[in-house]
PDB file of all heavy atoms in Angstrom:
ATOM      1  N   ILE N 162     -19.129  28.526  13.435  1.00 81.00           N
ATOM      2  CA  ILE N 162     -17.862  29.186  13.140  1.00 81.00           C
ATOM      3  C   ILE N 162     -17.660  29.305  11.632  1.00 81.00           C
ATOM      4  O   ILE N 162     -17.208  30.344  11.119  1.00 81.00           O
ATOM      5  CB  ILE N 162     -16.696  28.410  13.796  1.00 81.00           C
ATOM      6  CG1 ILE N 162     -16.757  28.553  15.314  1.00 81.00           C
ATOM      7  CG2 ILE N 162     -15.344  28.913  13.274  1.00 81.00           C
ATOM      8  CD1 ILE N 162     -15.800  27.645  16.052  1.00 81.00           C
ATOM      9  N   ASP N 163     -18.000  28.252  10.891  1.00 79.00           N
ATOM     10  CA  ASP N 163     -17.870  28.299   9.435  1.00 79.00           C
ATOM     11  C   ASP N 163     -18.792  29.357   8.831  1.00 79.00           C
ATOM     12  O   ASP N 163     -18.434  30.044   7.871  1.00 79.00           O
ATOM     13  CB  ASP N 163     -18.174  26.927   8.832  1.00 79.00           C
ATOM     14  CG  ASP N 163     -17.049  25.929   9.051  1.00 79.00           C
ATOM     15  OD1 ASP N 163     -15.930  26.375   9.352  1.00 79.00           O
ATOM     16  OD2 ASP N 163     -17.296  24.719   8.939  1.00 79.00           O
ATOM     17  N   GLN N 164     -19.991  29.501   9.395  1.00 81.00           N
ATOM     18  CA  GLN N 164     -20.929  30.513   8.900  1.00 81.00           C
ATOM     19  C   GLN N 164     -20.394  31.918   9.152  1.00 81.00           C
ATOM     20  O   GLN N 164     -20.507  32.799   8.296  1.00 81.00           O
ATOM     21  CB  GLN N 164     -22.287  30.328   9.566  1.00 81.00           C
ATOM     22  CG  GLN N 164     -23.024  29.058   9.154  1.00 81.00           C
ATOM     23  CD  GLN N 164     -24.255  28.807  10.003  1.00 81.00           C
ATOM     24  OE1 GLN N 164     -24.738  29.688  10.701  1.00 81.00           O
ATOM     25  NE2 GLN N 164     -24.768  27.586   9.945  1.00 81.00           N
ATOM     26  N   ARG N 166     -17.239  32.725   9.429  1.00 75.00           N
ATOM     27  CA  ARG N 166     -16.120  32.913   8.508  1.00 75.00           C
ATOM     28  C   ARG N 166     -16.620  33.214   7.097  1.00 75.00           C
ATOM     29  O   ARG N 166     -16.059  34.049   6.381  1.00 75.00           O
ATOM     30  CB  ARG N 166     -15.213  31.685   8.522  1.00 75.00           C
ATOM     31  CG  ARG N 166     -13.940  31.858   7.701  1.00 75.00           C
ATOM     32  CD  ARG N 166     -13.095  30.606   7.685  1.00 75.00           C
ATOM     33  NE  ARG N 166     -12.492  30.351   8.979  1.00 75.00           N
ATOM     34  CZ  ARG N 166     -12.825  29.338   9.765  1.00 75.00           C
ATOM     35  NH1 ARG N 166     -13.768  28.493   9.398  1.00 75.00           N
ATOM     36  NH2 ARG N 166     -12.208  29.156  10.913  1.00 75.00           N
ATOM     37  N   ALA N 167     -17.687  32.535   6.686  1.00 74.00           N
ATOM     38  CA  ALA N 167     -18.234  32.741   5.345  1.00 74.00           C
ATOM     39  C   ALA N 167     -18.772  34.159   5.168  1.00 74.00           C
ATOM     40  O   ALA N 167     -18.730  34.720   4.071  1.00 74.00           O
ATOM     41  CB  ALA N 167     -19.341  31.723   5.068  1.00 74.00           C
ATOM     42  N   LEU N 168     -19.255  34.761   6.256  1.00 76.00           N
ATOM     43  CA  LEU N 168     -19.770  36.126   6.192  1.00 76.00           C
ATOM     44  C   LEU N 168     -18.654  37.162   6.184  1.00 76.00           C
ATOM     45  O   LEU N 168     -18.884  38.336   5.898  1.00 76.00           O
ATOM     46  CB  LEU N 168     -20.702  36.390   7.383  1.00 76.00           C
ATOM     47  CG  LEU N 168     -22.024  35.608   7.384  1.00 76.00           C
ATOM     48  CD1 LEU N 168     -22.760  35.822   8.706  1.00 76.00           C
ATOM     49  CD2 LEU N 168     -22.906  36.051   6.218  1.00 76.00           C
ATOM     50  N   GLU N 216      -9.031  26.804   2.922  1.00 89.00           N
ATOM     51  CA  GLU N 216      -9.824  26.403   4.069  1.00 89.00           C
ATOM     52  C   GLU N 216     -10.488  25.058   3.776  1.00 89.00           C
ATOM     53  O   GLU N 216     -11.237  24.933   2.812  1.00 89.00           O
ATOM     54  CB  GLU N 216     -10.881  27.463   4.348  1.00 89.00           C
ATOM     55  CG  GLU N 216     -11.806  27.155   5.502  1.00 89.00           C
ATOM     56  CD  GLU N 216     -12.894  28.206   5.633  1.00 89.00           C
ATOM     57  OE1 GLU N 216     -12.641  29.382   5.269  1.00 89.00           O
ATOM     58  OE2 GLU N 216     -13.999  27.854   6.080  1.00 89.00           O
ATOM     59  N   VAL N 217     -10.190  24.050   4.573  1.00 90.00           N
ATOM     60  CA  VAL N 217     -10.722  22.704   4.368  1.00 90.00           C
ATOM     61  C   VAL N 217     -11.747  22.409   5.460  1.00 90.00           C
ATOM     62  O   VAL N 217     -11.406  22.286   6.633  1.00 90.00           O
ATOM     63  CB  VAL N 217      -9.600  21.649   4.392  1.00 90.00           C
ATOM     64  CG1 VAL N 217     -10.174  20.271   4.059  1.00 90.00           C
ATOM     65  CG2 VAL N 217      -8.495  22.005   3.408  1.00 90.00           C
ATOM     66  N   ARG N 218     -13.016  22.315   5.069  1.00 88.00           N
ATOM     67  CA  ARG N 218     -14.093  22.021   6.007  1.00 88.00           C
ATOM     68  C   ARG N 218     -14.476  20.557   5.867  1.00 88.00           C
ATOM     69  O   ARG N 218     -15.004  20.147   4.830  1.00 88.00           O
ATOM     70  CB  ARG N 218     -15.311  22.909   5.740  1.00 88.00           C
ATOM     71  CG  ARG N 218     -15.027  24.403   5.787  1.00 88.00           C
ATOM     72  CD  ARG N 218     -16.275  25.189   5.399  1.00 88.00           C
ATOM     73  NE  ARG N 218     -16.017  26.613   5.314  1.00 88.00           N
ATOM     74  CZ  ARG N 218     -16.911  27.509   4.881  1.00 88.00           C
ATOM     75  NH1 ARG N 218     -18.118  27.087   4.510  1.00 88.00           N
ATOM     76  NH2 ARG N 218     -16.593  28.788   4.811  1.00 88.00           N
ATOM     77  N   MET N 219     -14.223  19.775   6.881  1.00 88.00           N
ATOM     78  CA  MET N 219     -14.525  18.342   6.853  1.00 88.00           C
ATOM     79  C   MET N 219     -15.675  18.030   7.810  1.00 88.00           C
ATOM     80  O   MET N 219     -15.662  18.466   8.961  1.00 88.00           O
ATOM     81  CB  MET N 219     -13.284  17.534   7.240  1.00 88.00           C
ATOM     82  CG  MET N 219     -12.149  17.644   6.248  1.00 88.00           C
ATOM     83  SD  MET N 219     -10.659  16.750   6.790  1.00 88.00           S
ATOM     84  CE  MET N 219      -9.978  17.945   7.969  1.00 88.00           C
ATOM     85  N   ARG N 220     -16.645  17.281   7.320  1.00 87.00           N
ATOM     86  CA  ARG N 220     -17.761  16.867   8.146  1.00 87.00           C
ATOM     87  C   ARG N 220     -17.976  15.358   7.971  1.00 87.00           C
ATOM     88  O   ARG N 220     -18.047  14.865   6.840  1.00 87.00           O
ATOM     89  CB  ARG N 220     -19.041  17.620   7.765  1.00 87.00           C
ATOM     90  CG  ARG N 220     -18.963  19.114   7.991  1.00 87.00           C
ATOM     91  CD  ARG N 220     -18.834  19.448   9.470  1.00 87.00           C
ATOM     92  NE  ARG N 220     -18.676  20.885   9.679  1.00 87.00           N
ATOM     93  CZ  ARG N 220     -17.506  21.503   9.744  1.00 87.00           C
ATOM     94  NH1 ARG N 220     -16.388  20.800   9.631  1.00 87.00           N
ATOM     95  NH2 ARG N 220     -17.446  22.803   9.940  1.00 87.00           N
ATOM     96  N   SER N 235     -13.775  32.297  -1.452  1.00 89.00           N
ATOM     97  CA  SER N 235     -14.369  32.965  -0.297  1.00 89.00           C
ATOM     98  C   SER N 235     -14.843  34.378  -0.609  1.00 89.00           C
ATOM     99  O   SER N 235     -15.357  35.055   0.267  1.00 89.00           O
ATOM    100  CB  SER N 235     -13.355  33.020   0.848  1.00 89.00           C
ATOM    101  OG  SER N 235     -12.237  33.830   0.489  1.00 89.00           O
ATOM    102  N   VAL N 284     -12.031  27.499  -0.651  1.00 92.00           N
ATOM    103  CA  VAL N 284     -12.775  26.754   0.364  1.00 92.00           C
ATOM    104  C   VAL N 284     -13.108  25.369  -0.175  1.00 92.00           C
ATOM    105  O   VAL N 284     -13.742  25.237  -1.228  1.00 92.00           O
ATOM    106  CB  VAL N 284     -14.080  27.486   0.744  1.00 92.00           C
ATOM    107  CG1 VAL N 284     -14.841  26.689   1.808  1.00 92.00           C
ATOM    108  CG2 VAL N 284     -13.777  28.895   1.246  1.00 92.00           C
ATOM    109  N   VAL N 285     -12.648  24.351   0.526  1.00 93.00           N
ATOM    110  CA  VAL N 285     -12.930  22.958   0.165  1.00 93.00           C
ATOM    111  C   VAL N 285     -13.901  22.395   1.201  1.00 93.00           C
ATOM    112  O   VAL N 285     -13.583  22.344   2.394  1.00 93.00           O
ATOM    113  CB  VAL N 285     -11.642  22.108   0.137  1.00 93.00           C
ATOM    114  CG1 VAL N 285     -11.971  20.653  -0.216  1.00 93.00           C
ATOM    115  CG2 VAL N 285     -10.640  22.682  -0.855  1.00 93.00           C
ATOM    116  N   GLU N 286     -15.087  22.000   0.762  1.00 92.00           N
ATOM    117  CA  GLU N 286     -16.090  21.440   1.660  1.00 92.00           C
ATOM    118  C   GLU N 286     -16.243  19.946   1.379  1.00 92.00           C
ATOM    119  O   GLU N 286     -16.493  19.547   0.243  1.00 92.00           O
ATOM    120  CB  GLU N 286     -17.434  22.150   1.465  1.00 92.00           C
ATOM    121  CG  GLU N 286     -17.379  23.637   1.772  1.00 92.00           C
ATOM    122  CD  GLU N 286     -18.676  24.349   1.439  1.00 92.00           C
ATOM    123  OE1 GLU N 286     -19.646  24.181   2.197  1.00 92.00           O
ATOM    124  OE2 GLU N 286     -18.708  25.064   0.411  1.00 92.00           O
ATOM    125  N   MET N 287     -16.079  19.141   2.420  1.00 92.00           N
ATOM    126  CA  MET N 287     -16.120  17.693   2.283  1.00 92.00           C
ATOM    127  C   MET N 287     -17.083  17.081   3.288  1.00 92.00           C
ATOM    128  O   MET N 287     -17.069  17.442   4.470  1.00 92.00           O
ATOM    129  CB  MET N 287     -14.723  17.094   2.503  1.00 92.00           C
ATOM    130  CG  MET N 287     -13.630  17.687   1.635  1.00 92.00           C
ATOM    131  SD  MET N 287     -12.001  17.058   2.111  1.00 92.00           S
ATOM    132  CE  MET N 287     -12.240  15.289   1.894  1.00 92.00           C
ATOM    133  N   VAL N 288     -17.917  16.183   2.818  1.00 91.00           N
ATOM    134  CA  VAL N 288     -18.789  15.397   3.696  1.00 91.00           C
ATOM    135  C   VAL N 288     -18.584  13.935   3.328  1.00 91.00           C
ATOM    136  O   VAL N 288     -18.845  13.515   2.202  1.00 91.00           O
ATOM    137  CB  VAL N 288     -20.275  15.784   3.510  1.00 91.00           C
ATOM    138  CG1 VAL N 288     -21.153  14.923   4.416  1.00 91.00           C
ATOM    139  CG2 VAL N 288     -20.493  17.259   3.796  1.00 91.00           C
ATOM    140  N   ILE N 292     -13.875  10.834   7.476  1.00 85.00           N
ATOM    141  CA  ILE N 292     -13.090  12.011   7.839  1.00 85.00           C
ATOM    142  C   ILE N 292     -13.598  12.561   9.166  1.00 85.00           C
ATOM    143  O   ILE N 292     -14.744  12.328   9.552  1.00 85.00           O
ATOM    144  CB  ILE N 292     -13.166  13.106   6.754  1.00 85.00           C
ATOM    145  CG1 ILE N 292     -14.632  13.494   6.473  1.00 85.00           C
ATOM    146  CG2 ILE N 292     -12.467  12.671   5.485  1.00 85.00           C
ATOM    147  CD1 ILE N 292     -14.782  14.630   5.479  1.00 85.00           C
ATOM    148  N   PRO N 293     -12.757  13.301   9.894  1.00 83.00           N
ATOM    149  CA  PRO N 293     -13.190  13.863  11.180  1.00 83.00           C
ATOM    150  C   PRO N 293     -14.010  15.139  10.982  1.00 83.00           C
ATOM    151  O   PRO N 293     -13.991  15.749   9.912  1.00 83.00           O
ATOM    152  CB  PRO N 293     -11.858  14.174  11.875  1.00 83.00           C
ATOM    153  CG  PRO N 293     -10.921  14.480  10.745  1.00 83.00           C
ATOM    154  CD  PRO N 293     -11.327  13.554   9.621  1.00 83.00           C
ATOM    155  N   LEU N 295     -13.894  18.579  11.350  1.00 83.00           N
ATOM    156  CA  LEU N 295     -12.759  19.471  11.567  1.00 83.00           C
ATOM    157  C   LEU N 295     -12.673  20.490  10.444  1.00 83.00           C
ATOM    158  O   LEU N 295     -12.932  20.171   9.277  1.00 83.00           O
ATOM    159  CB  LEU N 295     -11.463  18.655  11.623  1.00 83.00           C
ATOM    160  CG  LEU N 295     -10.167  19.382  11.951  1.00 83.00           C
ATOM    161  CD1 LEU N 295     -10.203  19.882  13.394  1.00 83.00           C
ATOM    162  CD2 LEU N 295      -8.973  18.447  11.756  1.00 83.00           C
ATOM    163  N   THR N 296     -12.366  21.729  10.798  1.00 84.00           N
ATOM    164  CA  THR N 296     -12.059  22.758   9.809  1.00 84.00           C
ATOM    165  C   THR N 296     -10.631  23.208  10.051  1.00 84.00           C
ATOM    166  O   THR N 296     -10.269  23.577  11.171  1.00 84.00           O
ATOM    167  CB  THR N 296     -13.014  23.964   9.920  1.00 84.00           C
ATOM    168  OG1 THR N 296     -14.342  23.534   9.611  1.00 84.00           O
ATOM    169  CG2 THR N 296     -12.612  25.051   8.934  1.00 84.00           C
ATOM    170  N   ILE N 297      -9.838  23.173   9.015  1.00 87.00           N
ATOM    171  CA  ILE N 297      -8.423  23.499   9.145  1.00 87.00           C
ATOM    172  C   ILE N 297      -8.009  24.400   7.982  1.00 87.00           C
ATOM    173  O   ILE N 297      -8.514  24.256   6.863  1.00 87.00           O
ATOM    174  CB  ILE N 297      -7.566  22.211   9.189  1.00 87.00           C
ATOM    175  CG1 ILE N 297      -6.151  22.512   9.647  1.00 87.00           C
ATOM    176  CG2 ILE N 297      -7.578  21.484   7.860  1.00 87.00           C
ATOM    177  CD1 ILE N 297      -5.373  21.271  10.059  1.00 87.00           C
TER     178      ILE N 297
END
Side-chain angles (χ1 to χ4, degrees):
I162 291 170
D163 286 342
Q164 292 171 16
R166 186 183 290 111
L168 292 172
E216 179 185 330
V217 185
R218 303 175 185 174
M219 294 177 280
R220 297 295 177 268
S235 65
V284 180
V285 179
E286 299 174 74
M287 306 173 58
V288 179
I292 56 176
L295 185 67
T296 296
I297 193 165

